């Protein structure tokens, strides 16, 4: 398709600037540019069509099924958007006096209490802008606590080999050394490996439960006990909270600190690089290190306060506030009763697909799962030549966004399926039918799938080069 610069015609405009109604003030010549900026000139109708054409080449939750494991790409109710668009939330400035934005502080205060309840924790910061940012913030809290106690020799963070890639990355960024431990044959933490890994240099453990195989670790209380007895703290990666919210709480599993992905579990569309929010919650003994300002209630009004030993701000102002508004709207809409139903449906949908597919495709942990499960395309590849990549690319022709691929790393041809609670039985059955069609195609002619997708605008871009050496600048001279 044509770029805006290629559609440009001199003199075309998409905007009418109102006449100047204030006295003109000439600029100092040294502040003026020598030539007009090279901007595309285009009429509003063509501009609209350009972006509509671009939009049609992408896939979102509103287009079709999007079972991207670990990402929780669920449909987010429109009412959350309506709340976030209210002028009282959008037409404000972060430096306004708090007496004029009490309602906004009230939102932050209310979600703080709601998230504490969901997580079994005592305090919250809403500052981190994403899950990984929350991990980093939580680890800084742990580091501050260790330093306060003079335990600077504790510099190792233990991370299971199924962990999301952000876990070791955040631990490293926060100044720790990562110790990776193997999973046991059930896909959980190997307790012997954990006992061997802990010691006087243990700062803590990072864990997501259910893990990225979609398995809830039945030894979780023993796991957090082993780490605590060794003098370390336990950090819960709450990105998979959609599977357990309203049912079990990280605080009750023995964790000291947790981040939540509001953009996965509590509304806010994500995946397009839009703003996210990764609040961090902790137990009382870590609260004095939280980034400030926090909202507190004082003499019948809300105010900001920074904890005594705060690690400092991790982001400007108060975090991505409108994401918080969506999350509170979502929580209020489904309510305390809706939360366990939501997680139950997420788990039910995943198990439905698991049970429909496990006889046709290899599934390393086939008995049951939480909100997601991992298929192994390895055996199919050995038999027919069709890889996880080929199967995933073929899904695009059916209007389905492929599952997460080649992750977790311990399953080599992994497809990680997370249907979420918002999909209907018909959509799930459609996915099963599609998987059977693709299986039949692979068995008939596996090599043909190397060319999939057959009907998409873009087929097989060189993804590594696109990520490592993106070419983002339009070449005017060429
Ligand atoms: C998504 C995810 C993260 C990271 O969250 P971001 O908001 O993408 O930074 C961390 N852990 C798990 C298990 C995740 O699924």
């Amino acid at each position: 398709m044509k770029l805006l610069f290629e559609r440009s015609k001199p003199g075309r405009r998409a905007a009418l600037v109102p006449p100047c109604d204030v006295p003109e003030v000439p600029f100092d010549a040294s502040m003026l540019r020598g030539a007009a900026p090279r901007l595309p000139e285009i009429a509003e109708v063509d501009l609209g069509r350009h972006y509509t054409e671009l939009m049609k080449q992408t896939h979102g939750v509103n287009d079709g099924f999007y079972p991207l494991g670990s990402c929780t790409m669920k449909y987010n109710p429109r009412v959350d958007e309506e709340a976030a668009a209210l002028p009282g939330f959008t037409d404000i400035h972060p430096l306004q006096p708090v007496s004029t934005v009490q309602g906004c502080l009230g939102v932050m205060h209310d979600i703080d209490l709601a998230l504490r309840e969901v997580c079994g924790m005592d305090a919250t910061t809403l500052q981190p802008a994403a899950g990984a940012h929350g991990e980093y913030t939580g680890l800084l809290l742990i580091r501050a606590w260790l330093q306060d106690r003079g335990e600077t020799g504790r510099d190792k963070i233990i991370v299971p080999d199924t962990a999301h890639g952000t876990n070791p990355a955040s631990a490293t960024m926060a100044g720790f050394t990562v110790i990776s431990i193997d999973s046991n044959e059930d896909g959980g933490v190997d307790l012997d490996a954990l006992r061997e890994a802990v010691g006087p240099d243990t700062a803590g453990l990072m864990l997501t439960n259910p893990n990225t195989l979609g398995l809830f670790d039945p030894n979780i209380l023993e796991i957090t006990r082993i780490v605590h007895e060794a003098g370390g703290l336990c950090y819960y990666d709450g990105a998979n909270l959609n599977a357990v919210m309203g049912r079990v709480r990280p605080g009750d599993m023995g964790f000291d600190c947790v981040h939540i992905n509001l953009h996965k579990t509590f509304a806010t569309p994500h995946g397009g690089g839009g703003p996210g929010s990764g609040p961090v919650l902790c137990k009382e003994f870590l609260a004095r290190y939280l980034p400030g300002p926090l909202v507190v209630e004082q003499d019948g009004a809300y105010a900001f306060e920074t904890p005594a030993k705060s690690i400092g701000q991790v982001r400007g102002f108060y975090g991505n506030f409108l994401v918080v508004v969506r999350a509170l709207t979502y929580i209020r809409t489904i309510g305390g009763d809706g939360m366990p139903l939501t997680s139950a449906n997420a788990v039910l949908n995943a198990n439905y697909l698991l049970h429909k597919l496990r006889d046709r495709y290899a599934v390393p942990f086939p008995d049951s799962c939480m909100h997601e499960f991992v298929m192994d395309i390895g055996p199919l590849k050995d038999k027919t030549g069709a890889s996880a990549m080929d199967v995933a690319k073929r899904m695009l022709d059916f209007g389905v966004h492929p599952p997460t691929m080649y992750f977790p790393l311990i399953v080599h041809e992994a497809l990680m399926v997370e249907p979420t609670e918002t999909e209907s039985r018909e959509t799930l059955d459609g996915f099963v039918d599609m998987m059977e069609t693709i299986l039949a195609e692979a068995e008939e002619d596996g090599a043909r799938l190397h060319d999939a997708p057959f009907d998409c605008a873009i087929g097989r871009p060189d993804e590594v080069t696109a990520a490592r050496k993106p070419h983002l600048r339009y070449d005017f001279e060429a």
Side-chain angles (χ1 to χ4, degrees), residues 4-175:
L4 277 182
F5 285 104
E6 292 158 350
R7 290 174 180 251
S8 175
K9 288 277 177 274
R12 301 258 168 96
R13 287 287 177 276
L16 293 174
V17 183
C20 180
D21 60 357
V22 292
E24 280 190 38
V25 180
F27 273 108
D28 187 301
S30 68
M31 294 168 76
L32 295 177
R33 53 163 79 235
R38 192 158 43 182
L39 298 175
E41 298 180 70
I42 190 154
E44 187 176 293
V45 58
D46 296 319
L47 186 63
R49 284 177 187 159
H50 174 78
Y51 284 108
T52 303
E53 193 179 338
L54 270 180
M55 189 187 81
K56 284 180 182 162
Q57 294 190 12
T58 67
H59 184 96
V61 171
N62 286 338
D63 293 289
F65 195 33
Y66 205 138
L68 190 66
S70 209
C71 292
T72 312
M73 304 297 288
K74 64 192 196 181
Y75 175 75
N76 296 305
R78 276 284 149 292
V79 65
D80 305 327
E81 294 301 320
E82 276 172 34
L86 291 173
F89 293 138
T90 57
D91 295 353
I92 52 171
H93 191 278
L95 292 177
Q96 241 171 278
V98 289
S99 64
T100 65
V101 282
Q102 284 290 305
C104 297
L105 270 68
V107 166
M108 294 194 258
H109 175 262
D110 287 359
I111 197 158
D112 172 5
L113 297 186
L115 296 180
R116 286 187 207 182
E117 181 64 32
V118 172
C119 292
M121 293 282 161
D122 302 317
T124 313
T125 170
L126 300 172
Q127 259 187 30
H133 196 193
E135 293 168 20
Y136 174 70
T137 305
L139 289 167
L140 290 187
L141 300 181
I142 292 176
R143 206 175 69 167
W145 179 77
L146 289 171
Q147 271 170 358
D148 243 6
R149 294 158 56 95
E151 300 200 66
T152 44
R154 293 189 178 271
D155 61 353
K156 306 275 188 300
I157 292 281
I158 299 166
V159 179
D161 60 0
T162 49
H164 195 268
T166 50
N167 290 187
S170 305
T172 306
M173 287 283 290

Side-chain angles (χ1 to χ4, degrees), residues 69-72 129-135 162-167 208 210-212 237-240 259-261 263-264 270 276-278 372 407 416 418:
S70 209
C71 292
T72 312
H133 196 193
E135 293 168 20
T162 49
H164 195 268
T166 50
N167 290 187
T208 183
N211 66 14
T212 59
D237 173 347
N240 289 323
H259 83 265
I260 304 176
N261 288 48
H263 49 286
K264 289 180 181 172
H270 70 109
S277 177
E372 62 193 5
F407 179 77
M416 182 193 203
E418 180 182 7

Side-chain angles (χ1 to χ4, degrees), residues 218-270:
N219 299 320
I220 192 63
L221 292 174
E222 180 65 9
I223 290 167
T224 51
R225 200 179 59 80
I226 291 171
V227 176
H228 283 147
E229 277 180 1
L233 297 184
C234 296
Y235 182 92
Y236 182 87
D237 173 347
N240 289 323
L241 200 70
N242 208 52
V244 294
M245 64 172 170
R247 293 184 171 265
V248 277
R249 311 193 304 172
D252 300 336
M253 292 184 227
F255 288 90
D256 305 293
C257 188
V258 47
H259 83 265
I260 304 176
N261 288 48
L262 293 188
H263 49 286
K264 289 180 181 172
T265 312
F266 298 107
T268 289
H270 70 109

